[in-house]
Amino acid sequence: MRLTAATLAVGALLLPAAPAAAAKKPAAAAATPVWTATVPALIRDSRLTDVAATGPDNAWSVGYQASTYTGWSIDEPYALLRWNGTAWTERRLPHKALALSRVSAASAADVWTVGLGESGRPYAGHFNGLTWTAHAPLGTPEGYAGLLDVAATGGGRAVLVGHDGSAPLVMEGGTQRFDRVPVAGAEQLDGVLRAVSSTGDGSVFAAGERYLAGAPYPEAMIAQRIGGTWRVATLPTVAATQLTGVWARSATDAWAVGTQDYDSAPKPVILHWDGVTWQRVAGPAAAGWVHAVAGDANGNLWISGTNPIPPYVEYPGTLLLRYAGGRWSVTYGPKVDRADPSLDALANIPGTASFWGSGAVWTGSGVAGIVERTG
C-alpha cells in the first residue's frame, strides 16, 4: 500500500444530478445556517481531527497539539476536549497516549476514541461516563498497522477500521475484546479504510481506497455490513481517489466523500447508497478537496472541504457543501484571524438541526485547532 500523509495522521462517468432517494424538491429551501468558530486553548500547532455529540450539552473533540516537524514538543501531545453546553474544556486521560485521531459516541456514557497510544502503538480509549480506560485492540502488532476511525455501536461496543500493513482492517468488539472481521472481497486487497459510520438499524459503512496492481494511484473503496455480513461494495470506477468521510442514516441511505486527483487538480467525489447501488452524485462544486460528511434525521447533509488555489500549494479557503430539501448549495465558513479554517470532521447534534465541525486554521502565530458550529 502507498502510505500517504493522511494515512499516517490518518474513466469518464455520467453523473446523476442527485440520488434517487432524495429527488423531491420543495417550493423553497430553508435559509443556509450560519457557522461560527471557536479556537480552544491548546498549545500552539494543534489540530482537532474529529468531533462527536450526544446532545446540545455534551460533545467531545479530539486531536493533537504541540506538533513539530519531527514529532511533538511535549510528552503527551493528544488533545481531548469536552463541551458542557457552555464551553469547551480540556480533559486529560488517566493513562498515556500520543495523539487521538477520531471519536464516536453512542451516549454520554459510551464514548470511544482511537489514535496512537504509548510508544506509538494503535490505541483505543473508552469513556463510561466517569473515566477513560485504555485498550490495545491489536495487541503488539508486527509491522505497520493503524486504527484510523471508530463507530460506537452502543452497549460499550464499537467498530474500528484502519489498515494492517497493506491490508484494509475491520475490527468489532468492546471493552473486553476486539476481533478482526473478515470482509468478503477484501482478502487480497492492498488498501486502507479511513472512515466508518454505523446506523441505528445495525448497518455499518467504512470508506477508504485500494490499489490495483501496477496502478500509481488508488481508487475508491467501501466495505459495508448490512444484515450481518461484511463485503466490499461495488462502486462506480473513480480513479486517483481517496475517500475520507462516510455517514449513514440507515441501511438504504449512506454517503461517502473524498477527493479525486487529490495531489494535482482536486475534484470532489460524492457517492450515495440507496440500498441497492452506489452512485456518484454531481455536487455543487467542480473543484476542491473534500474531507468529511454528516447529516441529520431530517435529510439535511453537510460536506466540508477546501477550495483549490492554483497551483494548489497555497492553503485554501473553507468550503461547505449543503444538501437540503433536494437541493445543493455552496457556502463558506467564517474567517479566523483573517485566515480560512479547514474542517476535518463534521457531526450532527442529535435532536437538533445544528452541526459541529472541527479542524485547524493557519494563522500568523501558527496552526490552531478549531471547532465550528451551525445554529
Side-chain angles (χ1 to χ4, degrees):
M1 180 177 68
R2 288 76 163 170
L3 297 177
T4 66
T7 301
L8 299 175
V10 85
L13 184 66
L14 294 176
L15 306 183
K24 295 181 179 180
K25 296 184 179 181
T32 302
V34 175
W35 288 79
T36 58
T38 300
V39 178
L42 294 170
I43 298 174
R44 175 179 166 171
D45 294 327
S46 60
R47 191 176 199 101
L48 293 170
T49 53
D50 203 9
V51 62
T54 62
D57 299 332
N58 187 70
W60 292 89
S61 185
V62 301
Y64 58 85
Q65 55 190 319
S67 175
T68 71
Y69 286 108
T70 58
W72 295 281
S73 61
I74 61 176
D75 290 337
E76 295 185 65
Y78 66 84
L80 178 66
L81 302 177
R82 189 173 189 180
W83 171 258
N84 62 6
T86 303
W88 288 96
T89 57
E90 186 175 8
R91 301 297 179 91
R92 303 303 293 174
L93 297 168
H95 49 263
K96 291 185 177 181
L98 286 179
L100 305 177
S101 57
R102 296 292 175 182
V103 63
S104 178
S107 71
D110 191 1
V111 184
W112 283 93
T113 185
V114 295
L116 298 177
E118 190 173 6
S119 301
R121 295 174 181 171
Y123 160 89
H126 181 256
F127 181 70
N128 64 3
L130 297 175
T131 188
W132 287 90
T133 55
H135 302 270
L138 288 167
T140 305
E142 296 181 3
Y144 183 75
L147 298 175
L148 301 184
D149 201 5
V150 55
T153 55
R157 296 181 60 80
V159 178
L160 314 177
V161 300
H163 61 92
D164 189 359
S166 62
L169 173 68
V170 176
M171 303 189 76
E172 293 187 73
T175 54
Q176 299 302 313
R177 173 179 172 174
F178 279 91
D179 294 307
R180 298 167 189 258
V181 178
V183 179
E187 296 85 353
Q188 305 299 321
L189 289 183
D190 178 1
V192 59
L193 293 170
R194 300 180 181 276
V196 63
S197 176
S198 62
T199 69
D201 60 18
S203 302
V204 185
F205 298 82
E209 72 261 16
R210 63 180 181 179
Y211 283 87
L212 301 180
Y217 288 96
E219 65 179 37
M221 176 179 66
I222 292 175
Q224 59 193 44
R225 187 189 74 192
I226 299 175
T229 302
W230 279 94
R231 67 177 179 87
V232 174
T234 300
L235 303 180
T237 300
V238 190
T241 296
Q242 293 179 333
L243 295 181
T244 52
V246 64
W247 178 80
R249 183 178 288 110
S250 70
T252 60
D253 188 7
W255 298 81
V257 301
T259 308
Q260 186 174 27
D261 298 330
Y262 47 86
D263 66 348
S264 54
K267 294 173 279 293
V269 173
I270 304 172
L271 301 175
H272 180 255
W273 167 257
D274 62 5
V276 180
T277 61
W278 283 96
Q279 300 178 42
R280 188 171 179 183
V281 176
W289 289 274
V290 170
H291 309 312
V293 58
D296 64 20
N298 298 319
N300 298 306
L301 192 81
W302 283 96
I303 296 172
S304 66
T306 45
N307 274 345
I309 301 175
Y312 310 114
V313 294
E314 298 182 41
Y315 290 122
T318 304
L319 175 67
L320 291 162
L321 312 181
R322 186 184 183 219
Y323 188 72
R327 297 174 179 172
W328 287 101
S329 59
V330 178
T331 189
Y332 295 89
K335 289 184 179 293
V336 175
D337 195 17
R338 293 179 295 180
D340 295 293
S342 175
L343 297 182
D344 300 331
L346 296 169
N348 174 239
I349 302 173
T352 78
S354 297
F355 287 76
W356 285 110
S358 69
V361 60
W362 290 262
T363 69
S365 58
V367 182
I370 191 171
V371 288
E372 295 189 17
R373 182 173 177 171
T374 63

